[in-house]
Amino acid sequence: MSSLVALWERLSSLGVDHLGVDERSTGEARRVRLTNQSAAIGTVSCGSFAAVYAIAGPRFFAPMLANLIAVALLLAALFFSQRGARSLSKALVLVPVNLVVVVASMLLGGRVGFLYYLFVTAVVAFLLFSTKQWALRVAFALLSAACCVVALVVPTQSAIAALISPAAATVIDVASALCVLATVMIIVHLFTGDTTRAEVRLAAEHERSERLLLNILPGAISARLKENGEAIADGFANVTVLFADLVGFTELSQKLTPAELVAMLNRTFSAFDDLAERFRVEKIKTIGDCYMVAAGLPEETTDHVEVIARMALEMRETLVRINQEGGYSLRIRIGLHTGPVVAGVIGKRKFIYDLWGDTVNTASRMESSGSPGDIQVTREVADRLQGQFELEARGRIQVKGKGEMETFLLNGERAAKQAVAPPG
């Protein structure tokens, strides 16, 4: 049974690999598979009729020959499908049925039930050709209609028809109707089965795309961008921004292979990503070996300064652990500032949720003017953290582009505060 299933799948997939991405997305793969499946079903059906006519004797040579010709055409349909000649393949699937029905009806009488198959070909024509190929749909539907008219109108001159008794004609009529019904159900099952599988794959791809998009943009921003497709800009009065830089990264990059370097950087930033998720802050971007996050957006919060401070301390401890496990000697330099920012998404490609404003520049200067292993914060941040965190006044320092600024070093969280159980 498994070998038959494998054979069926190989026959069904003939020519699918010739399709481009755009053609697959429009459902052409399902139509190619249905073409192959219809050709296979038709080959078995016409071959069976040919065998029956051969057994019935020489008088049935004409319908036997018609069915053998139909088998040849259906096999040719599979051949051309494999080579990407899709329209020719579809035509070769539809023509044999009309041929066989006309010949059989002319020999046995137009009202023995074979005409039911013409309705199948008309319906299948609409399944095999796309809406853009409406002319081919109509052409093959008209061909089936013409064959039906010929079989009904042209009088039967065959001596074979005289041998068919009313009872035999009724049996053939009922058998044809049942066979057509079964054929329609099989074709619909095959087509809808492929459609369902395509929809499942599409849903999975959509979910994967949504996850990737949410890894790039906040959920609310992603929804707005998909709805409007325009630049997004929001102002926030109170946001805390963190910049972190790996000190010693350049020297380490000269000792590691490219693969080892990327693995180390990925491991480090992935650990920082886990912290960002745990503290519910927004990762903005990485630039080389620099990492940037912010709290207080896109949903405004009141504890954004404290949250970023805790994350900064955790980042420093995380790097110590990574150094111990990997045998590195990296150190981290972190800068914090809080204040108003503008946040949004601009451009047409490779979207990023970014921040602009003096708060961002100041946080960056706190990082670049700090010392390895230190977390340097501004007076605005220190005022918010007083009483909850250990702060060390660094005094006034010269900051590029800012002049003299009073800064502090964040050394840790007060023990009394740490002893308090987190809410929930």
Side-chain angles (χ1 to χ4, degrees), residues 44-341:
V44 173
S45 178
C46 292
S48 300
F49 274 109
V52 171
Y53 289 134
I55 295 172
R59 289 177 298 181
F60 294 88
F61 176 78
M64 180 192 72
L65 180 61
N67 278 276
L68 290 176
I69 294 174
V71 169
L73 293 175
L74 291 165
L75 291 175
L78 293 173
F79 174 84
F80 286 110
S81 181
Q82 170 63 24
R83 279 150 181 78
R86 296 190 293 277
S87 294
L88 177 58
S89 176
K90 294 170 184 177
L92 291 174
V93 167
L94 297 169
V95 168
V97 179
N98 291 286
L99 168 68
V100 169
V101 169
V102 169
V103 172
S105 296
M106 295 297 293
L107 292 173
L108 304 180
R111 302 183 184 278
V112 293
F114 291 126
L115 296 180
Y116 299 140
Y117 287 97
L118 296 175
F119 295 99
V120 177
T121 59
V123 171
V124 170
F126 279 79
L127 295 178
L128 297 187
F129 295 105
S130 68
T131 53
K132 294 182 179 180
Q133 297 174 303
W134 61 268
L136 291 173
R137 285 182 168 184
V138 173
F140 280 101
L142 290 176
L143 175 61
S144 297
C147 291
C148 183
V149 171
V150 170
L152 289 173
V153 173
V154 176
T156 301
Q157 302 295 331
S158 172
I160 300 177
L163 301 176
I164 305 298
S165 65
T170 301
V171 171
I172 296 174
D173 190 23
V174 172
S176 296
L178 294 176
C179 288
V180 167
L181 181 62
T183 302
V184 170
M185 288 191 296
I186 291 172
I187 290 175
V188 171
H189 170 73
L190 293 173
F191 192 78
T192 55
D194 274 350
T195 301
T196 300
R197 285 189 290 271
E199 290 174 346
V200 170
R201 289 193 296 268
L202 183 62
E205 287 298 320
H206 177 72
E207 183 180 353
R208 178 173 176 270
S209 299
E210 287 294 310
R211 288 198 303 269
L212 289 174
L213 188 59
L214 290 176
N215 283 335
I216 299 172
L217 302 174
I221 300 301
S222 171
R224 288 170 58 187
L225 189 64
K226 287 187 292 185
E227 181 179 354
N228 301 322
E230 300 175 352
I232 295 175
D234 298 314
F236 295 90
N238 293 289
V239 171
T240 302
V241 180
L242 176 154
F243 277 91
D245 185 65
L246 298 180
V247 181
F249 176 80
T250 302
E251 293 78 2
L252 182 61
S253 66
Q254 298 172 353
K255 301 177 183 178
L256 301 178
T257 66
E260 292 172 335
L261 182 67
V262 171
M264 181 278 297
L265 200 58
N266 179 66
R267 180 182 180 186
T268 302
F269 283 177
S270 293
F272 292 168
D273 287 346
D274 291 339
L275 292 176
E277 184 175 2
R278 176 154 67 89
F279 286 104
R280 297 182 180 179
V281 302
E282 192 65 39
K283 175 186 176 181
I284 304 302
K285 57 187 173 183
T286 60
I287 308 172
D289 59 341
C290 184
Y291 191 89
M292 177 184 177
V293 295
L297 52 74
E299 287 81 28
E300 296 183 6
T301 60
T302 58
D303 61 346
H304 50 91
V305 181
E306 295 84 350
V307 168
I308 283 289
R310 294 188 181 98
M311 179 168 175
L313 294 169
E314 288 272 4
M315 289 173 70
R316 188 166 60 182
E317 294 179 7
T318 297
L319 186 62
V320 171
R321 186 180 69 254
I322 292 175
N323 280 333
Q324 293 173 346
E325 294 173 351
Y328 311 125
S329 57
L330 293 171
R331 302 180 73 185
I332 195 168
R333 190 170 56 221
I334 300 176
L336 307 182
H337 184 50
T338 189
V341 301

Side-chain angles (χ1 to χ4, degrees), residues 343-415:
V345 179
I346 58 176
K348 295 182 177 180
R349 297 181 179 178
K350 297 183 179 180
F351 297 121
I352 182 175
Y353 185 63
D354 211 347
L355 309 182
W356 302 275
D358 185 65
T359 298
V360 178
N361 297 331
T362 302
S364 177
R365 293 290 183 261
M366 288 297 99
E367 176 271 310
S368 61
S369 63
S371 300
D374 286 343
I375 303 172
Q376 183 169 240
V377 306
T378 58
R379 160 62 74 178
E380 290 82 356
V381 173
D383 287 344
R384 286 287 300 270
L385 299 180
Q386 288 289 349
Q388 303 178 56
F389 293 82
E390 297 288 345
L391 295 163
E392 175 186 341
R394 192 183 179 193
R396 301 186 69 83
I397 66 170
Q398 191 71 26
V399 178
K400 182 180 178 180
K402 304 292 294 183
E404 283 194 352
M405 292 187 66
E406 185 179 11
T407 65
F408 299 79
L409 299 181
L410 173 63
N411 294 328
E413 192 168 6
R414 290 187 180 277

